[in-house]
């Protein structure tokens, strides 16, 4: 029997396996007997016929190439390109060891800070907001806090389908009295189980949250002691909040007075309150502002940094948190350090390098913009599929065609990025590699190797180390195991601000029995990592920056996950156990809208935006508002429709607010 951790969402369930068959049993994070359909199919997904089997290079079609020749080719391309014209695009599906070696190679030794991750697409808005408020990227809530929580507010999060085991925990806690409020334009499976569903108009989260904050202040239900002693900027925030017209906010978000009053009374009646959110807030041109508006409510009430309270960002990928810890975003250097002079000095000394550029690198879509301008010579993509998941796909495809050399490191052969790659390397997937990952509440767990890598695949950390050695940095990249890599990363976390990233205290030998939680009670004394030690208020308002509807584009298109699949269905869609899964491709349309357009359930419809069009099957339902559409992210062609507006601070795209039209095919 081997125990390991699931490689799908950010919950981090621990699975027990015998030699070949996964059991329906977990011992982490909550209790035995909880596992979702995706997790239970994990081992079967390793043996799919779509596995990428060996290195290949594009020469009149893809031709086999040896690993040695492949690594030599990459090293040659790196040496020939200026560092600022080289990009790395990583993934929340990488293990921490993979992330660490790639980040060290790019920023420390090649000298490019263009090392970003697909987590930029899902949680970078939360990272920026946490840093602005607390001074450091820190999620101040743990899943266990649900046990003492009285009221859970889920904003733009569909846990019933995206975080299934976490949602099972929520349902259990509801039996002992936990109240839940869901803020979502769709009546999702999560909304159906809630005590209150606030079905706001798309894009009006800030209006609703400001309306709540305004009411808390006017009723003097805010924590005066907390705001005076542990925050700064409150008086300015309060003055700006007083200027807002509540009737305008009500009208914008579409919530009637009685619903709003019910919400307010739930806030007043419950002692311990957690708010949780994911892509519904983050994936927006005002994603950071939406995060700040929600966190402000916790600063107002003092319901933060104590059991059962706080703002809880939910990550969708298994190791999105680990990527943040090593520095896998282009806007950070390493171990939660930025590109300031002192941080560069510390990291340079630790890595024994003098090649760190003091300028933050390009984020994911900024690399696409550079490619458009002919300013990107080499792009190395690891364990992700940017052609599938980046917005405005027509633009992405045109840009990637201009990149002289693209390396794709992937476990599977059927990516949407494949037609744009010049060299492809087979990576070991879940089940064929070992290392660590950090789930959505700062819990470090261990992923075990269940068998040796198939075909000619290698773990990602080893591939990056081979590149480093071939470039002449043998001493820095002479790793012989994932354990060696982790020991180095663990030691490096001592460099973090005041040592808050205390993974250096972790004993890896204990991870099989007990996961490690870093930063326990970091702010329990309400001393934050800002220059003053106080948490910051930021007044924000809805500036209407998202794409707006028009007579020829009268619908708003939303996107999101569905229960049985995770991303594009590369693995889960092909596992026999899930043969009854929900369709991967459809568009939800309101019943009345469908009737007006003569659209039947299951009929073919054409969805158009200013960027492209798709023909999909209609799913006619009353769970979605009129003039709102929903397409799941499992539709591989979805991003031919989405827009590439970026949040100016997080550079996260506005996936959830595209103006669209729909007609019968």
């Amino acid at each position: 029997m081997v125990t390991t951790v699931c490689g799908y969402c950010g919950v981090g369930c621990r699975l027990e396996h015998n030699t070949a068959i996964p059991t329906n049993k977990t011992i982490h994070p909550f209790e035995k007997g909880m596992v979702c359909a995706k997790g239970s199919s994990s081992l079967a997904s390793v043996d799919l016929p779509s596995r990428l089997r060996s290195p290949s290079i594009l020469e009149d079609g893809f031709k086999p190439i040896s690993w040695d020749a492949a690594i030599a080719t990459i090293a040659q391309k790196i040496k020939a390109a200026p560092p600022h014209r080289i990009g790395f695009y990583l993934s929340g599906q990488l293990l921490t060891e993979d992330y660490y070696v790639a980040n060290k190679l790019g920023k420390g030794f090649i000298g490019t800070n263009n090392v970003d991750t697909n987590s930029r697409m899902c949680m970078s808005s939360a990272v920026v907001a946490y840093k602005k408020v607390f001074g450091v990227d820190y999620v101040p809530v743990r899943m266990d806090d649900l046990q003492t929580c009285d009221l859970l507010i889920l904003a733009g999060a569909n846990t019933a389908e995206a975080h299934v085991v976490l949602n099972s925990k929520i349902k259990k806690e509801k039996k002992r009295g936990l109240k839940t409020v869901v803020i979502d334009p769709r009546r999702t499976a999560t909304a159906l189980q809630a005590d209150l569903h606030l079905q706001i108009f798309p894009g009006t989260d800030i209006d609703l949250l400001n309306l709540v904050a305004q009411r808390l202040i006017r009723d003097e239900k805010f924590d005066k002691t907390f705001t005076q002693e542990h925050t700064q900027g409150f008086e300015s925030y309060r003055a700006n909040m007083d200027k807002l017209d509540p009737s305008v906010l009500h009208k914008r978000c579409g919530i009637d007075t009685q619903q709003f009053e019910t919400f307010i009374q739930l806030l007043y009646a419950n002692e311990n309150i957690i708010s949780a959110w994911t892509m519904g807030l983050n994936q927006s041109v005002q994603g950071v502002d939406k995060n700040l508006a929600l966190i402000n409510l916790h600063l107002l009430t003092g319901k933060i940094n104590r059991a059962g309270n706080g703002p809880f960002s939910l990550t969708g990928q298994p190791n999105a948190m680990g990527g943040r810890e090593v520095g896998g975003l282009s806007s950070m250097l390493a171990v939660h350090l930025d590109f300031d002079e002192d941080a560069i000095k510390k990291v340079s000394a630790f890595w024994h390098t003098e090649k760190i550029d003091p300028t933050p690198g390009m984020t994911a879509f900024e690399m696409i913009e550079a490619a458009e301008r002919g300013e990107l010579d080499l792009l190395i993509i690891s364990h992700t599929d940017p052609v599938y998941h980046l917005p405005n796909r027509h633009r992405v495809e045109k840009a990637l065609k201009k990149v002289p050399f693209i390396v794709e490191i992937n476990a599977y052969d059927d990516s949407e990025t494949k037609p744009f790659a010049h060299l492809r390397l087979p990576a070991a997937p879940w089940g064929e590699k070992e290392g660590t990952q950090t789930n959505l509440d700062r819990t470090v767990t261990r992923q075990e190797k269940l068998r040796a890598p198939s075909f000619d695949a290698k773990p990602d950390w080893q591939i990056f180390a081979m590149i480093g050695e071939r470039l002449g940095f043998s001493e820095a990249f002479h790793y012989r195991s994932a354990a060696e890599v982790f020991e180095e990363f663990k030691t490096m976390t001592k460099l973090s601000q005041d040592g808050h990233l205390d993974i250096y205290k972790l004993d890896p030998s204990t991870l099989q029995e007990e996961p490690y939680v870093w930063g326990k009670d970091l702010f329990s004394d309400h001393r934050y990592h800002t220059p003053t030690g106080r948490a910051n208020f930021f007044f924000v308002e809805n500036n209407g920056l998202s794409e707006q509807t028009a007579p020829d584009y009268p619908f708003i298109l939303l996107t999101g996950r569905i229960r049985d699949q995770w991303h594009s269905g590369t693995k889960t869609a092909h596992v026999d156990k899930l043969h009854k899964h929900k369709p991967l491709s459809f568009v939800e349309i309101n019943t009345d809208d469908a009737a007006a357009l003569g659209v039947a359930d299951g009929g073919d419809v054409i969805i158009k935006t200013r960027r492209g069009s798709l023909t999909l099957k209609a799913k006619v339902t009353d769970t979605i508002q009129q003039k709102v559409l929903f397409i799941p992210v499992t539709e591989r062609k979805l991003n031919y429709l989405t827009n590439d507006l970026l949040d100016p601070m997080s550079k996260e795209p506005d996936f959830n607010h595209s103006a669209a039209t729909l007609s019968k095919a």
Side-chain angles (χ1 to χ4, degrees):
M1 182 69 68
V2 177
T3 60
T4 189
V5 64
C6 183
Y8 282 107
C9 80
V11 174
C13 296
R14 199 137 180 214
L15 305 175
E16 293 184 358
H17 293 263
N18 61 21
T19 55
I21 308 298
T23 65
N24 225 15
K25 185 178 182 183
T26 64
I27 58 175
H28 176 76
F30 302 121
E31 59 186 300
K32 294 180 180 180
M34 300 176 73
V35 66
C36 74
K38 293 186 288 290
S40 66
S41 72
S42 296
L43 190 59
S45 70
V46 177
D47 287 316
L48 296 177
S50 58
R51 284 286 303 276
L52 186 60
R53 295 170 178 255
S54 61
S56 59
I57 192 166
L58 186 63
E59 293 177 352
D60 295 323
F62 280 104
K63 304 290 180 61
I65 186 174
S66 69
W67 270 103
D68 187 67
I71 298 300
T73 299
I74 296 171
Q76 178 187 11
K77 297 294 183 181
I78 291 173
K79 290 177 180 178
H84 68 277
R85 296 173 71 97
I86 299 172
F88 285 67
Y89 193 41
L90 310 177
S91 167
Q93 297 159 67
L94 294 173
L95 295 180
T96 297
E97 293 79 0
D98 304 322
Y99 254 130
Y100 178 79
V101 179
N103 192 59
K104 178 182 178 180
L105 175 64
K107 294 173 183 172
F109 289 83
I110 294 175
T112 177
N113 292 329
N114 304 327
V115 181
D116 211 39
T117 168
N118 62 12
S119 296
R120 176 72 61 185
M121 300 296 113
C122 55
M123 56 74 202
S124 55
S125 292
V127 172
V128 173
Y130 277 142
K131 291 180 73 171
K132 287 174 73 70
V133 175
F134 304 136
V136 69
D137 178 15
Y138 179 77
V139 179
V141 183
R142 305 226 31 253
M143 285 184 279
D144 286 345
D145 282 321
L146 289 169
Q147 296 172 5
T148 52
C149 178
D150 302 311
L151 175 63
L152 173 64
I153 303 167
L154 291 159
N158 185 9
T159 54
E161 299 200 71
H163 299 88
V164 179
V165 174
L166 174 61
N167 192 70
S168 296
K169 177 64 174 178
I170 293 169
K171 290 168 69 175
K172 178 182 177 181
E173 294 302 322
K174 284 180 69 65
K175 292 179 181 178
R176 60 102 182 145
L178 173 69
K179 301 295 183 183
T180 59
V181 175
V182 170
I183 303 170
D184 199 306
R186 297 172 62 225
R187 193 161 73 246
T188 62
T190 307
L192 289 171
Q193 71 190 29
D195 297 280
L196 177 65
H197 176 206
L198 299 177
Q199 195 169 11
I200 61 172
F201 294 143
T204 62
D205 312 82
I206 294 174
D207 298 313
L208 175 62
L209 296 169
N210 279 350
L211 195 60
V212 174
Q214 191 180 66
R215 178 67 177 272
L216 289 169
I217 293 171
R218 290 183 178 179
D219 286 358
E220 296 195 350
K221 291 290 187 178
F222 64 97
D223 189 326
K224 297 181 179 64
T225 300
F226 184 87
T227 55
Q228 289 173 2
E229 296 182 0
H230 302 298
T231 72
Q232 58 188 4
F234 172 67
E235 291 304 327
S236 174
Y237 172 79
R238 181 177 187 172
N240 281 304
M241 202 59 70
D242 284 342
K243 297 176 184 178
L244 298 177
D245 184 339
S247 63
V248 172
L249 298 180
H250 266 293
K251 184 177 180 180
R252 280 182 184 168
C253 63
I255 300 301
D256 65 45
T257 304
Q258 184 55 53
Q259 274 192 314
F260 181 72
E261 190 62 32
T262 300
F263 185 28
I264 290 296
Q265 294 309 314
L266 282 170
L267 288 172
Y268 293 172
N270 289 283
E271 176 62 25
N272 297 321
I273 300 176
I274 291 174
S275 63
W277 69 96
T278 181
M279 311 316 164
L281 295 193
N282 292 338
Q283 290 180 333
S284 167
V285 70
Q286 282 194 266
V288 174
D289 287 349
K290 291 179 180 180
N291 276 258
L292 293 172
L294 188 53
I295 296 172
N296 282 339
L297 300 185
H298 290 277
L299 298 185
L300 272 174
T301 57
K303 296 185 185 300
I304 190 170
N305 298 120
R306 54 190 174 94
N309 293 273
F312 194 10
S313 164
L314 307 178
T315 54
Q317 295 196 86
N319 201 30
M321 184 75 75
R324 288 146 70 170
E325 292 161 3
V326 305
L329 290 163
S330 62
S331 45
M332 58 177 67
L333 175 54
V335 293
H336 283 184
L337 295 173
D338 295 323
F339 290 95
D340 57 273
E341 185 176 349
D342 184 58
I344 291 173
K345 183 177 180 181
K346 288 179 181 178
V347 174
S348 296
F350 185 85
W351 280 342
H352 303 291
T353 183
E354 297 179 354
K355 294 192 174 183
I356 297 176
D357 188 322
T359 306
M362 291 186 287
T363 61
F365 208 82
E366 287 175 328
M367 283 191 260
I368 295 300
E369 293 170 336
E372 283 182 316
R373 300 188 298 267
E375 297 174 0
L376 194 65
D377 294 339
L378 172 63
L379 179 61
I380 300 174
I381 300 165
S382 178
H383 247 92
T384 189
D385 194 358
V387 173
Y388 151 68
H389 70 245
L390 290 177
N392 195 350
R393 179 165 167 173
H394 284 298
R395 183 181 180 188
V396 171
E397 290 179 347
K398 289 178 182 177
L400 291 182
K401 287 178 181 177
K402 294 183 178 181
V403 180
F405 204 77
I406 294 176
V407 179
E408 183 189 15
I409 304 171
N410 204 336
Y412 300 95
D413 188 47
D414 57 346
S415 72
E416 298 294 302
T417 300
K418 177 181 178 179
F420 302 86
H422 301 90
L423 178 65
R424 307 186 77 216
L425 302 178
W430 181 95
E432 293 186 357
K433 61 180 179 179
E434 59 188 358
T436 55
Q437 62 187 51
T438 306
N439 73 3
L440 53 82
D441 68 352
R442 313 188 322 276
T443 303
V444 182
T445 54
R446 179 167 174 78
Q447 191 178 110
E448 293 293 343
K449 183 192 295 184
L450 304 180
R451 70 184 195 191
S454 302
F455 314 116
D456 204 7
K458 299 182 186 297
D460 297 78
W461 68 262
Q462 187 177 359
I463 297 171
F464 290 118
M466 291 167 67
I467 296 171
E469 289 195 274
R470 182 59 66 100
L471 288 169
F473 310 122
S474 296
E475 186 174 349
F477 293 94
H478 191 69
Y479 304 112
R480 291 299 173 260
S481 68
E484 282 187 25
V485 178
F486 185 78
E487 280 299 317
E488 182 175 307
F489 162 65
K490 187 181 82 166
T491 303
M492 192 181 193
T493 62
K494 294 179 182 179
L495 303 182
S496 64
Q497 185 179 349
D498 299 326
H500 75 272
L501 188 61
D502 57 6
I503 294 174
Y504 59 85
K505 297 178 181 178
L506 187 161
D507 179 357
S509 67
T510 66
L511 281 181
Q512 270 289 359
E513 301 301 322
E514 184 179 2
Y516 179 82
V517 181
W518 66 264
K520 286 184 178 179
D521 304 319
L522 182 61
F523 299 142
S524 59
D525 60 353
H526 298 301
R527 177 77 184 175
Y528 299 94
H529 278 243
T530 61
T532 63
R534 294 168 175 257
N536 295 311
F537 271 101
F538 288 92
F539 171 74
V540 296
E541 57 185 324
N542 183 0
N543 294 320
L545 302 179
S546 294
E547 188 172 58
Q548 301 301 306
T549 58
D552 51 344
Y553 293 102
F555 290 86
I556 289 295
L557 172 62
L558 305 178
T559 67
R561 285 191 171 102
I562 52 177
R563 184 196 66 195
D564 298 331
Q565 310 303 332
W566 185 49
H567 280 164
S568 62
T570 300
K571 296 184 288 186
T572 47
H574 302 289
V575 176
D576 289 342
K577 288 186 177 182
L578 294 181
H579 68 279
K580 294 182 180 179
H581 60 65
K582 294 181 179 180
L584 278 71
S585 179
F586 59 85
V587 55
E588 287 185 0
I589 179 173
N590 176 269
T591 305
D592 293 336
D593 287 332
L597 294 170
V599 171
D601 186 54
D604 289 337
V605 294
I606 300 171
I607 307 95
K608 292 183 179 180
T609 70
R610 293 178 175 91
R611 289 153 296 280
S613 66
L614 288 180
T615 299
L616 300 175
K617 297 292 184 183
K619 182 178 180 181
V620 179
T621 176
D622 62 358
T623 63
I624 196 166
Q625 298 176 49
Q626 286 188 266
K627 300 303 178 184
V628 178
L629 306 173
F630 170 81
I631 300 176
V633 297
T634 44
E635 166 48 58
R636 285 193 168 207
K637 309 299 182 182
L638 169 62
N639 284 308
Y640 281 123
L641 303 179
T642 56
N643 71 69
D644 50 27
L645 289 173
L646 304 179
D647 182 289
M649 291 177 279
S650 69
K651 306 299 181 181
E652 185 163 347
D654 196 352
F655 284 109
N656 280 305
H657 210 280
S658 299
T661 188
L662 181 143
S663 60
K664 291 177 66 176

